[in-house]
Amino acid sequence: MCGIVTAIARRNIVPVLLEGLRKLEYRGYDSAGLAVLKTEGTPELTRLRAVGRVAELAAQADATQLSANIGIAHTRWATHGVPSERNAHPHISGGLAVVHNGIIENFEELRSKLQAKGYAFTSETDTEAIAHLLHDKLKTIPDLFDAVRATIAELVGAYAIGVLTEADPSRAIVARKGSPLLLGIGEDGHYAASDTAALLQVTRKVVYLEDGDVAELTLDSYRVTLQDGTPVERPVNISSLSADAVELGKYRHYMQKEIFEQPQALANTLEIIAGGGGISPQIFGAEAVDVLKATRRVLILACGTSYHSGFTARYWLESVAKIPCTVEIASEYRYRESVPDADTLVVVISQSGETADTLAALKHAKSLGMTKTLAICNVPESAIVRESALRLITRAGPEIGVASTKAFTTQLAALALLTLALSKINGHLSAEQEAGYLNQLRHLPVAVAKVLELEPEIEKWAQRFAGKHHALFLGRGSHWPIAMEGALKLKEISYIHAESYAAGELKHGPLALVDKDMPVIAVAPADELLEKLKSNLQEVRARGGELYVFADAGSEIPESEGVHILHMPEHYGMLSPILHVIPLQLLSYHAALVKGTDVDKPRNLAKSVTVE
Ligand code: G6P
């Protein structure tokens, strides 16, 4: 979703802004723009905007040999108004320019007021209202910092903004509420961006802004205050993110890189159990023992792929830890009238830790009195982690591909640890069982690496698949969410319409769709539901449907006409879903390659969904 970069430095900041935008591309966008102040002579605002890729914006900057010491830049993911140059940021009012990530809910009201004052709107965006509002404020509040504070006081909704003005070229102002924003402290100036990856090119020293913070950046200093002007100190962190972690290296796409990083991502996430000891609740935080002991139910809230990891964990939590568990899509939960329960552990799962609906669902649960909260998240400094009492940080490393892969499997690893911790605390885990599960978890990276070796076979399947318009994914039990995740992956990046069903539901509707043009993908581990699944597969074959079956050791499904089998090396018990999702990730990746779609930046989608 929209990304922001701001820079003021003793160097030409145009390349910094453009490189920053390139690093934010993964968030998803459909247009890009920047505004700089040329400070030689009279400060003059120059704006460039382009629909499509940052490369187009960079070409414009090259053509005009743009150079400046202060500027703001933006990638836009359309919310209010179509993707077009007119709607691309920055938006200008008089000599000032604004970039914005988020949604201003009262923008229609603001627009009417500003129009009544004579402001003409040239775009359909909510952001333009911020630019005109600030312009209006500057008439009575000449100080830019104070005028920004007065402006944001009137905004309802979520925002991260960057502002500069011809009238005061010595500083850029940024502010955030609800959308991510951090400052970068450089050797030669100061920077701000929506995430750290955009700033690693200039600094590792970062300051995470809190909701409601306003910051002023000059060449030599920065300061942060609350909206009311009260100065606040925010800690300076040294980012441990390596620049390599966000480089493509030998891979063609980030999604491919991230699929193949899974053994390492899992090893890193599971390092907490690398020692010889047993599972300890403390891995979720110092207060976790008491919280887990008092937990009678679990409520999991998440979106997208993270929802699927939660849905998988439900099977584990109920069957192994014997704890009732519900899993709910965050955007539904936050607006539904539900019955709160103080003994429930609320688990929020998010790769980014910034997903607006998940964050709002967490806050909603807390407002209902459910204060036992646990975040399973890949970004330690994120809003969701900060908002939760307990946390387990997955160590997948930065995930750039819009289609989530390594975040998903590491979330599952973390949820397996939660399952074991709750089982143990409730007396449902013998020492022998605990040792068995821990061994399996420690061996998981190796097991995943073996599954990745199946890529050439899966590539062949993808060739046959890519010409199809629809696909049906089937699974049962804890592999039903894996079928859901497989279908999501395929539709996200190859645009093949894919649906998933619990295989037992086949005859209650989807069987009507099955014919020779509808490939049916079955997740078929050798578990207690295999025989049931086999009957469901017969139903498909009898209607001429072509089957692509992901079996594992012991599944014993024979290959025959119209029944293609991929044999996974081993059956992995409770953790089998973690292995079974890997070939589905590879299948969608290769189907997308054959179709020639933009794998890492699928149309219309965003990586980090920071608006509702
Ligand atoms: C977007 C991404 C998905 C992701 C979902 C939830 O839709 O494209 O890949 O699963 O958001 O994101 P989160 O960061 O909360 O896991």
PDB file of all heavy atoms in Angstrom, residues 30-43:
ATOM      1  N   ASP A  30       0.230   1.804  -7.750  1.00  0.00           N
ATOM      2  CA  ASP A  30      -0.119   1.924  -9.159  1.00  0.00           C
ATOM      3  C   ASP A  30       0.324   3.237  -9.770  1.00  0.00           C
ATOM      4  O   ASP A  30       0.150   3.463 -10.957  1.00  0.00           O
ATOM      5  CB  ASP A  30      -1.623   1.691  -9.358  1.00  0.00           C
ATOM      6  CG  ASP A  30      -2.447   2.245  -8.226  1.00  0.00           C
ATOM      7  OD1 ASP A  30      -2.208   3.408  -7.874  1.00  0.00           O
ATOM      8  OD2 ASP A  30      -3.296   1.520  -7.686  1.00  0.00           O
ATOM      9  N   SER A  31       0.861   4.148  -8.957  1.00  0.00           N
ATOM     10  CA  SER A  31       1.451   5.364  -9.509  1.00  0.00           C
ATOM     11  C   SER A  31       2.483   5.867  -8.508  1.00  0.00           C
ATOM     12  O   SER A  31       2.510   5.412  -7.355  1.00  0.00           O
ATOM     13  CB  SER A  31       0.379   6.429  -9.767  1.00  0.00           C
ATOM     14  OG  SER A  31      -0.332   6.680  -8.580  1.00  0.00           O
ATOM     15  N   ALA A  32       3.322   6.774  -8.967  1.00  0.00           N
ATOM     16  CA  ALA A  32       4.390   7.261  -8.086  1.00  0.00           C
ATOM     17  C   ALA A  32       4.638   8.731  -8.377  1.00  0.00           C
ATOM     18  O   ALA A  32       4.298   9.228  -9.462  1.00  0.00           O
ATOM     19  CB  ALA A  32       5.663   6.455  -8.330  1.00  0.00           C
ATOM     20  N   GLY A  33       5.209   9.423  -7.403  1.00  0.00           N
ATOM     21  CA  GLY A  33       5.483  10.838  -7.628  1.00  0.00           C
ATOM     22  C   GLY A  33       6.465  11.369  -6.612  1.00  0.00           C
ATOM     23  O   GLY A  33       6.744  10.731  -5.585  1.00  0.00           O
ATOM     24  N   LEU A  34       7.017  12.529  -6.910  1.00  0.00           N
ATOM     25  CA  LEU A  34       7.893  13.184  -5.944  1.00  0.00           C
ATOM     26  C   LEU A  34       7.794  14.689  -6.120  1.00  0.00           C
ATOM     27  O   LEU A  34       7.392  15.180  -7.183  1.00  0.00           O
ATOM     28  CB  LEU A  34       9.336  12.693  -6.075  1.00  0.00           C
ATOM     29  CG  LEU A  34      10.078  12.881  -7.398  1.00  0.00           C
ATOM     30  CD1 LEU A  34      10.640  14.273  -7.554  1.00  0.00           C
ATOM     31  CD2 LEU A  34      11.240  11.879  -7.449  1.00  0.00           C
ATOM     32  N   ALA A  35       8.174  15.405  -5.069  1.00  0.00           N
ATOM     33  CA  ALA A  35       8.275  16.866  -5.158  1.00  0.00           C
ATOM     34  C   ALA A  35       9.544  17.258  -4.436  1.00  0.00           C
ATOM     35  O   ALA A  35       9.849  16.727  -3.358  1.00  0.00           O
ATOM     36  CB  ALA A  35       7.073  17.538  -4.515  1.00  0.00           C
ATOM     37  N   VAL A  36      10.301  18.150  -5.050  1.00  0.00           N
ATOM     38  CA  VAL A  36      11.532  18.634  -4.415  1.00  0.00           C
ATOM     39  C   VAL A  36      11.531  20.150  -4.478  1.00  0.00           C
ATOM     40  O   VAL A  36      10.830  20.752  -5.292  1.00  0.00           O
ATOM     41  CB  VAL A  36      12.802  18.079  -5.116  1.00  0.00           C
ATOM     42  CG1 VAL A  36      12.851  16.572  -5.033  1.00  0.00           C
ATOM     43  CG2 VAL A  36      12.891  18.543  -6.563  1.00  0.00           C
ATOM     44  N   LEU A  37      12.368  20.720  -3.595  1.00  0.00           N
ATOM     45  CA  LEU A  37      12.550  22.167  -3.647  1.00  0.00           C
ATOM     46  C   LEU A  37      13.923  22.429  -4.218  1.00  0.00           C
ATOM     47  O   LEU A  37      14.928  21.993  -3.650  1.00  0.00           O
ATOM     48  CB  LEU A  37      12.477  22.750  -2.238  1.00  0.00           C
ATOM     49  CG  LEU A  37      11.108  22.864  -1.600  1.00  0.00           C
ATOM     50  CD1 LEU A  37      11.251  23.346  -0.164  1.00  0.00           C
ATOM     51  CD2 LEU A  37      10.214  23.816  -2.379  1.00  0.00           C
ATOM     52  N   LYS A  38      13.957  23.092  -5.338  1.00  0.00           N
ATOM     53  CA  LYS A  38      15.262  23.487  -5.864  1.00  0.00           C
ATOM     54  C   LYS A  38      15.652  24.733  -5.094  1.00  0.00           C
ATOM     55  O   LYS A  38      14.928  25.728  -5.109  1.00  0.00           O
ATOM     56  CB  LYS A  38      15.149  23.762  -7.350  1.00  0.00           C
ATOM     57  CG  LYS A  38      14.886  22.512  -8.135  1.00  0.00           C
ATOM     58  CD  LYS A  38      15.423  22.645  -9.537  1.00  0.00           C
ATOM     59  CE  LYS A  38      14.361  22.194 -10.509  1.00  0.00           C
ATOM     60  NZ  LYS A  38      14.637  22.534 -11.885  1.00  0.00           N
ATOM     61  N   THR A  39      16.757  24.642  -4.373  1.00  0.00           N
ATOM     62  CA  THR A  39      17.067  25.712  -3.413  1.00  0.00           C
ATOM     63  C   THR A  39      18.070  26.733  -3.930  1.00  0.00           C
ATOM     64  O   THR A  39      18.380  27.677  -3.238  1.00  0.00           O
ATOM     65  CB  THR A  39      17.557  25.105  -2.087  1.00  0.00           C
ATOM     66  OG1 THR A  39      18.461  24.077  -2.386  1.00  0.00           O
ATOM     67  CG2 THR A  39      16.418  24.600  -1.266  1.00  0.00           C
ATOM     68  N   GLU A  40      18.579  26.520  -5.152  1.00  0.00           N
ATOM     69  CA  GLU A  40      19.466  27.571  -5.682  1.00  0.00           C
ATOM     70  C   GLU A  40      18.575  28.741  -6.090  1.00  0.00           C
ATOM     71  O   GLU A  40      17.591  28.555  -6.799  1.00  0.00           O
ATOM     72  CB  GLU A  40      20.211  27.073  -6.919  1.00  0.00           C
ATOM     73  CG  GLU A  40      21.360  26.170  -6.563  1.00  0.00           C
ATOM     74  CD  GLU A  40      21.721  25.252  -7.708  1.00  0.00           C
ATOM     75  OE1 GLU A  40      21.414  25.591  -8.860  1.00  0.00           O
ATOM     76  OE2 GLU A  40      22.290  24.199  -7.413  1.00  0.00           O
ATOM     77  N   GLY A  41      18.929  29.927  -5.629  1.00  0.00           N
ATOM     78  CA  GLY A  41      18.082  31.089  -5.929  1.00  0.00           C
ATOM     79  C   GLY A  41      16.797  31.001  -5.125  1.00  0.00           C
ATOM     80  O   GLY A  41      16.786  30.495  -3.998  1.00  0.00           O
ATOM     81  N   THR A  42      15.704  31.401  -5.690  1.00  0.00           N
ATOM     82  CA  THR A  42      14.416  31.354  -4.975  1.00  0.00           C
ATOM     83  C   THR A  42      13.945  29.902  -4.930  1.00  0.00           C
ATOM     84  O   THR A  42      13.915  29.241  -5.963  1.00  0.00           O
ATOM     85  CB  THR A  42      13.361  32.179  -5.742  1.00  0.00           C
ATOM     86  OG1 THR A  42      13.980  33.372  -6.160  1.00  0.00           O
ATOM     87  CG2 THR A  42      12.146  32.456  -4.890  1.00  0.00           C
ATOM     88  N   PRO A  43      13.598  29.415  -3.747  1.00  0.00           N
ATOM     89  CA  PRO A  43      13.136  28.022  -3.674  1.00  0.00           C
ATOM     90  C   PRO A  43      11.930  27.792  -4.578  1.00  0.00           C
ATOM     91  O   PRO A  43      10.994  28.597  -4.571  1.00  0.00           O
ATOM     92  CB  PRO A  43      12.738  27.851  -2.203  1.00  0.00           C
ATOM     93  CG  PRO A  43      13.330  29.002  -1.492  1.00  0.00           C
ATOM     94  CD  PRO A  43      13.553  30.097  -2.476  1.00  0.00           C
TER      95      PRO A  43
END
